[in-house]
Amino acid sequence: MTQSVSLTINGRPREDHVEPRLLLVHYLREVAGLTGTHIACDTSQCGACTVLIDGEAVKSCSVFTVQAAGKDVTTIEGLAQEGTLHPVQQAFWNEHGLQCGFCTPGFIMAAAYLLKQNPSPTDAEIERGLEGNLCRCTGYENIKKAVRSASQAMNGGTAETSANLVGSAAAPVEG
Amino acid sequence: MITAAFEYARPGSVDEAQSLLTKYGDDAKVIAGGQSLIPLMRLRLSQPTALVDIQGIHGLKEVRRDNGSVEIGALVRHVDIQRNATLREALPILVEMANDVGDNQVRNLGTIGGVIAHGDAAGDYNALALMLDAEIVTNKRRHKASDFFRDIFTTALEHDEVVTAVRFPVSTGRFAYTKFRRRLYDWAIAGVAVQETGSSWRVGYVNLARTPRRGASVERALAGGASAADAAAESGSDIDPTGDVRATAEYKRHLAQVLTARTLEKATMAA
Ligand SMILES: Cc1cc2nc3c(=O)[nH]c(=O)nc-3n(C[C@H](O)[C@H](O)[C@H](O)COP(=O)(O)OP(=O)(O)OC[C@H]3O[C@@H](n4cnc5c(N)ncnc54)[C@H](O)[C@@H]3O)c2cc1C
Ligand code: FES
Ligand code: FES
């Protein structure tokens, strides 16, 4: 039996009929066609599926789509604004914060949330802030470097850069 | 794994939640943050036929302090506890526990009511509720924490009972919590909480039996003037650990004793 669900994804409202048991991550990937959100462990361990609901990081493999009805979901596809990468995306690029890239969308969403809560985290705070995300490749050092560098760019950056913070009105993204 | 199919409803009040639970019958369940329930459903260890989502019920998200108690609404999330100024003053040990539950993603969804209702011996707040004689407030009655945690994942809650709040005594004395684990976001392999209340100490054990446990023998030894190390030697009679993939029962007994002494020392040195 399906149920109607209205929610906003990356600033764009949509309505779909889904089974209550459809997980948000499957909805995003298979119904909304946004495959940037990855699924790996399937058991709330790895954070690859991290998205923002009403600006807060959650693991979308541990949320039913129906629970997100009426909310604002931001995925990795919604971070870049008008072709300009979000400072965290740019920093992962600059600092080589990835190898295979599978964990990257989750790390970027978790890091964007972390920097919104705490714009200048210490190294220990970066580690704590990303504790819900696992990476099998990098050894984490370049990921931490990327978060530090994004923090600097966002704090010292221009007004346009800081307006790109997650949670600011996101322009609709084609999905 | 994909979960079994279920019906889903989002009631606007506690009364409506109760009648939905009655209507859907014994296999219906409340869902709050879903951070314990959804993983279990995905393993098909739990197959509710209906979920009653209480997220939209008003009045369950508040923290109120009155007459020596602090009442925490069932839908107050771990992240809300971390940021709550009243709790930081009235029940700082709970804030310390909240900081170490899961990770940001889990803390943004999981609720105190969910921890209590789930009744997991590894749920950090459950040992605290027990040792501080908290009350669990539902749509039907007030439970004493000492009568609430019955067995492994089993509480005194009836099928159509909804936890609305947890009421703790304001506890501003010295305290410490030690959560022993190998990775940051893990559950406790073993946890020990101590809180000074008036002139005595309360002790609670996380994941050291089928239910949360109170360290009654350790408390008695402390009241009789024993040192932290001597009191900690009594911990064995307060716990009943079983071995699991992470630790044998024997190792957990060892941890309980060592961590009890350490945690007491940490609390008294924090003076
Ligand atoms: C990776 C990970 C690590 C974790 N680490 C820890 C940890 O270290 N310590 C810890 O304590 N927890 C930990 N958790 C669990 C987390 O704290 C959950 O938030 C909590 O156990 C359940 O809260 P919830 O709101 O998500 O409840 P749900 O998952 O929605 O519900 C859990 C159970 O309680 C029932 N229920 C929920 N709310 C009510 C209510 N108001 N009235 C009646 N019944 C209700 C449900 O029917 C269900 O049976 C972890 C979870 C994950 C995924
Ligand atoms: S896929 Fe969601 S936490 Fe790993
Ligand atoms: S870059 Fe490969 S898992 Fe992180």
Side-chain angles (χ1 to χ4, degrees):
Chain A
M1 211 179 45
T2 63
Q3 215 159 314
S4 155
V5 171
S6 308
L7 73 179
T8 304
I9 305 179
N10 300 331
R12 184 193 229 192
R14 41 180 309 152
E15 186 178 348
D16 292 288
H17 290 268
V18 303
E19 262 196 281
R21 64 173 164 174
L22 184 68
L23 292 162
L24 182 61
V25 71
H26 292 139
Y27 170 77
L28 291 170
R29 292 176 55 85
E30 290 159 24
V31 180
L34 296 168
T35 53
T37 302
H38 290 173
I39 182 156
C41 71
D42 226 20
T43 50
S44 314
Q45 302 287 313
C46 75
C49 63
T50 301
V51 301
L52 308 182
I53 295 186
D54 291 343
E56 296 179 312
V58 303
K59 294 172 179 173
S60 62
C61 73
S62 300
V63 177
F64 291 118
T65 313
V66 286
Q67 292 176 285
K71 314 220 165 171
D72 225 322
V73 179
T74 308
T75 69
I76 188 75
E77 289 91 343
L79 282 191
Q81 303 287 297
E82 288 155 24
T84 307
L85 291 182
H86 183 281
V88 176
Q89 292 176 301
Q90 189 61 51
F92 269 70
W93 180 299
N94 294 347
E95 304 295 340
H96 198 59
L98 59 137
Q99 287 177 28
C100 79
F102 198 85
C103 68
T104 311
F107 266 99
I108 288 178
M109 298 312 286
Y113 172 75
L114 166 65
L115 292 177
K116 199 173 107 195
Q117 300 303 313
N118 178 0
S120 307
T122 62
D123 283 1
E125 287 166 346
I126 293 174
E127 284 176 18
R128 285 302 306 263
L130 300 178
E131 67 192 325
N133 293 72
L134 298 179
C135 174
R136 303 273 71 182
C137 304
T138 61
Y140 301 100
E141 289 307 316
N142 283 1
I143 292 177
K144 287 189 275 178
K145 228 192 266 175
V147 178
R148 277 196 295 272
S149 134
S151 156
Q152 280 155 10
M154 287 162 83
N155 291 328
T158 60
E160 298 91 79
T161 321
S162 39
N164 276 344
L165 277 174
V166 187
S168 59
V173 169
E174 296 308 313
Chain B
M1 208 189 301
I2 305 296
T3 72
F6 56 84
E7 288 183 82
Y8 173 86
R10 223 193 252 193
S13 69
V14 176
D15 285 347
E16 200 188 329
Q18 184 178 351
S19 43
L20 283 165
L21 288 165
T22 310
K23 176 183 131 195
Y24 287 130
D26 280 354
D27 292 326
K29 262 187 175 298
V30 169
I31 185 165
Q35 298 306 285
S36 288
L37 185 56
I38 295 176
L40 285 178
M41 288 174 67
R42 302 204 61 192
L43 297 167
R44 298 221 177 185
L45 292 171
S46 176
Q47 306 199 10
T49 52
L51 290 184
V52 176
D53 184 347
I54 59 174
Q55 66 167 299
I57 299 181
H58 289 291
L60 303 185
K61 292 180 185 158
E62 275 114 57
V63 175
R64 262 185 252 108
R65 180 176 177 166
D66 64 84
N67 297 329
S69 295
V70 55
E71 188 166 299
I72 307 170
L75 289 180
V76 170
R77 301 168 302 163
H78 306 297
V79 66
D80 303 321
I81 293 173
Q82 291 180 280
R83 293 176 187 162
N84 189 279
T86 303
L87 288 173
R88 218 172 291 144
E89 231 174 68
L91 196 60
I93 188 170
L94 185 78
V95 178
E96 182 161 322
M97 285 180 162
N99 287 335
D100 280 343
V101 170
D103 46 50
N104 277 336
Q105 291 95 318
V106 170
R107 291 191 291 265
N108 281 339
L109 288 173
T111 65
I112 186 167
V115 175
I116 296 278
H118 198 47
D120 191 342
D124 309 88
Y125 305 157
N126 293 336
L128 188 69
L130 185 64
M131 73 192 237
L132 294 182
D133 286 319
E135 270 184 344
I136 290 111
V137 186
T138 74
N139 53 334
K140 297 188 157 179
R141 56 183 71 85
R142 285 163 179 264
H143 298 267
K144 287 189 170 135
S146 54
D147 297 328
F148 186 77
F149 300 106
R150 297 281 170 87
D151 199 349
I152 190 159
F153 296 114
T154 308
T155 68
L157 288 177
E158 287 168 18
H159 162 257
D160 61 345
E161 206 169 349
V162 179
V163 175
T164 55
V166 190
R167 208 174 159 84
F168 286 91
V170 167
S171 304
T172 53
R174 292 175 291 176
F175 68 91
Y177 179 50
T178 309
K179 182 169 186 170
F180 186 86
R181 52 186 180 172
R182 304 303 301 267
R183 298 179 302 185
L184 268 180
Y185 64 85
D186 266 342
W187 298 77
I189 293 173
V192 180
V194 306
Q195 172 76 54
E196 187 182 36
T197 59
S199 58
S200 62
W201 287 90
R202 303 289 182 92
V203 178
Y205 289 114
V206 176
N207 205 29
L208 285 163
R210 291 166 69 87
T211 59
R213 283 292 179 92
R214 180 155 172 187
S217 319
V218 176
E219 290 176 9
R220 267 194 305 276
L222 289 167
S227 68
D230 288 344
E234 303 296 320
S235 63
S237 25
D238 293 330
I239 60 172
D240 185 15
T242 40
D244 56 35
V245 286
R246 294 184 298 164
T248 61
E250 193 194 352
Y251 179 54
K252 287 190 190 175
R253 285 186 172 278
H254 168 76
L255 280 176
Q257 182 171 343
V258 172
L259 298 179
T260 302
R262 261 188 220 167
T263 311
L264 282 166
E265 278 155 18
K266 192 159 75 184
T268 48
M269 283 184 326

